Amino acid sequence: MNRAGVDPELAALRGELIERAAVDQRARAELDPVAPMPEQWEAVQRVDEDNVRWFAPIVAVHGWPGRRTVGVDGAHAAWVLAQHAPAPYRACWLPKLRAAVANRDAAPRDLAFLSDRVATDQQRPQHYGTQWLRLGTEAAGRLYPLRRPAEVNLARADVGLDPLPDSAIEAAYSSFTEITAATRGGSP
């Protein structure tokens, strides 16, 4: 501990999490919003791979970096890294984030996004309606399938997310079979 009572290792971890999340967001901001170029995606993938190499051992050894250890901004930055990690890592880290939220050491909102991301990775309907899919050149995306469309805005309110418009809920994909058919240019 230093004189201010802050553990220098935790302060360094917090700073590294925040910096890595900022690099992640910059790489994604550079993607062409209409038609990202392959080299833009390659840059994003390099950032994600570097972040996973650094972050995975931290979570494996120390558990989820929560608010009490890395602050609110550090804990949110940890979620950014997890959200953009490969699907197997996300699935592995979801219970750790869930436990941190249960202990009031992470944000329920972050858990909602990661929970939905893992559900869509596993081709299961999402609960909070945080994951969208934009195919081809369509202007707006559509929500991945919803577990209980009529209750999605109640679930969102529980974690502090704004409600979705009824039109977005009604336009959500009904199943992953429909998504597969849409990506192949056919009908379900």
Side-chain angles (χ1 to χ4, degrees), residues 151-184:
E151 298 172 18
V152 71
N153 281 330
L154 294 173
R156 291 174 68 86
D158 284 346
V159 296
L161 293 171
D162 291 336
L164 292 168
D166 289 341
S167 60
I169 296 168
E170 291 164 7
Y173 287 100
S174 62
S175 68
F176 283 88
T177 302
E178 181 185 3
I179 292 170
T180 301
T183 59
R184 292 186 181 148

Side-chain angles (χ1 to χ4, degrees), residues 1-17 54 69-70:
M1 294 276 184
N2 62 22
R3 284 192 293 163
V6 176
D7 184 324
E9 287 183 33
L10 294 179
L13 175 59
R14 176 184 169 271
E16 184 73 13
L17 283 164
W54 176 81
T69 55
V70 296

Side-chain angles (χ1 to χ4, degrees), residues 79 83 94 97-98 101 107-119 126-131 155-156 158-161:
W79 164 78
Q83 189 77 355
L94 179 60
L97 177 56
R98 187 175 285 120
V101 169
R109 177 187 181 107
D110 291 348
L111 177 60
F113 276 86
L114 190 60
S115 177
D116 278 359
R117 187 73 179 260
V118 170
Q126 59 179 325
H127 184 67
Y128 299 97
T130 63
Q131 303 300 300
R156 291 174 68 86
D158 284 346
V159 296
L161 293 171

Side-chain angles (χ1 to χ4, degrees), residues 64-135:
W64 190 261
R67 295 172 174 169
R68 287 188 276 282
T69 55
V70 296
V72 172
D73 52 356
H76 181 70
W79 164 78
V80 169
L81 301 186
Q83 189 77 355
H84 297 145
Y89 287 97
R90 289 193 293 260
C92 178
W93 295 336
L94 179 60
K96 295 175 187 298
L97 177 56
R98 187 175 285 120
V101 169
N103 290 323
R104 299 180 189 268
D105 203 24
R109 177 187 181 107
D110 291 348
L111 177 60
F113 276 86
L114 190 60
S115 177
D116 278 359
R117 187 73 179 260
V118 170
T120 60
D121 288 340
Q122 298 171 352
Q123 295 196 352
R124 293 183 291 110
Q126 59 179 325
H127 184 67
Y128 299 97
T130 63
Q131 303 300 300
W132 296 72
L133 177 63
R134 189 176 92 191
L135 296 175

Side-chain angles (χ1 to χ4, degrees), residues 16-17 20-21 24 28 44-60 77-90 92-93:
E16 184 73 13
L17 283 164
R20 284 177 175 276
D24 169 292
R28 283 170 167 76
V44 167
Q45 288 173 326
R46 282 192 303 274
V47 168
D48 291 347
E49 289 167 1
D50 183 53
N51 284 339
V52 167
R53 273 193 300 275
W54 176 81
F55 190 58
I58 289 169
V59 177
W79 164 78
V80 169
L81 301 186
Q83 189 77 355
H84 297 145
Y89 287 97
R90 289 193 293 260
C92 178
W93 295 336

